[in-house]
Amino acid sequence: MRRIVIMGATSGLGRRVAERLARKGWLVGAAGRNKEALEELKKEYPDNIFTAVIDVTKPGSCRGLSMLINHLGGMDIYFHVSGIGYENFSLELDQELATLETNVVGFARMTATAYRYFRDSGRKGQIAAITSVAGTNGIGRLASYSSSKRFQQTYLRALNQLATIDGAHVAFTDIRPGWVRTPLLNPSENYPMTMEMPYAVPRIMKALLTRRRVAVIDWRWNILVGLWRLIPNCLWVKIPLPISTPASTGQTKVNEIEEKIDEPA
């Protein structure tokens, strides 16, 4: 029986993947900050899901992850889904720092712990993460978010090289979706090429289970980010890149754009 730990399984993409794998007979370690959502998930799949309340921004989260792995009886895949982000036009410092604390510090804390587990145990495994197409280049309206996603992509590449140096049998999967219509996308905004959950989740799972090194979800976004890479920096910084447009009248609020680890669906 295969075992996976999903960090950020309380809502959105993480929860959908946890549910699908539990139905397939996997043992799933579901983690996040929302205790109620985790309890609900456990109630739905009592035989296949083990839960742990873990806040990736806290140093004690390393111990929490290790305890969840032990409770699960081991781990074949570590899947990092948790993350936050804001359209932060005014660069409000609390939002910038919160994004970096979760998406950079928390990400490194958890993936490094997962890597040490595989390396020190000698067990073959996989470390996968949901990053984002936003990590392709710096996006002014998403400065900390796009930068944090670039960090995640580079960190996975670095760990991949480290695994070669260490002789660790760890595969790495970097899944880079475009906009996915989760409950955490602002419903008053239209995001370009938005994907619905029933469309995006099977493609994400395929990339995860086939151990793709890098997977852009979907083909339209793959073409777009390929074009982004061709734009020289001197031109990129002059492009007022649109992220979203209001779908209805009224004041546009700063919105969270990916799965937040402590919010219910």
Side-chain angles (χ1 to χ4, degrees), residues 230-251:
L230 298 177
I231 301 174
N233 187 61
C234 62
L235 294 180
W236 177 266
V237 298
K238 297 178 181 179
I239 299 174
L241 192 68
I243 300 303
S244 61
T245 56
S248 60
T249 59
Q251 183 180 3

Side-chain angles (χ1 to χ4, degrees), residues 44 55-56 102 132 153 208 213 231 233 237 250:
E44 292 177 5
D55 180 348
V56 302
T102 299
S132 173
Q153 293 164 6
L208 174 70
R213 178 59 189 86
I231 301 174
N233 187 61
V237 298

Side-chain angles (χ1 to χ4, degrees), residues 5-10 29-33 38 50-54 65 68 261:
V5 170
I6 302 176
M7 190 64 60
T10 57
R33 288 196 301 196
L38 291 173
F50 299 83
T51 63
V53 178
I54 297 176
L65 174 56
L68 179 58
I261 53 179

Side-chain angles (χ1 to χ4, degrees), residues 112-153:
T113 300
Y115 176 80
R116 288 194 301 270
Y117 164 78
F118 289 124
R119 182 196 62 191
D120 297 346
S121 68
R123 183 169 185 158
K124 292 182 179 180
Q126 178 185 4
I127 294 175
I130 295 285
T131 66
S132 173
V133 297
T136 305
N137 224 324
I139 300 175
R141 296 168 65 170
L142 306 171
S144 60
Y145 177 78
S146 58
S147 301
S148 70
K149 292 300 178 177
R150 185 58 172 261
F151 169 86
Q152 292 179 355
Q153 293 164 6

Side-chain angles (χ1 to χ4, degrees), residues 157-178:
R157 189 180 306 120
L159 289 184
N160 199 165
Q161 184 185 70
L162 183 61
T164 301
I165 296 169
D166 287 341
H169 302 288
V170 184
F172 293 85
T173 298
D174 178 354
I175 302 173
R176 305 175 182 180

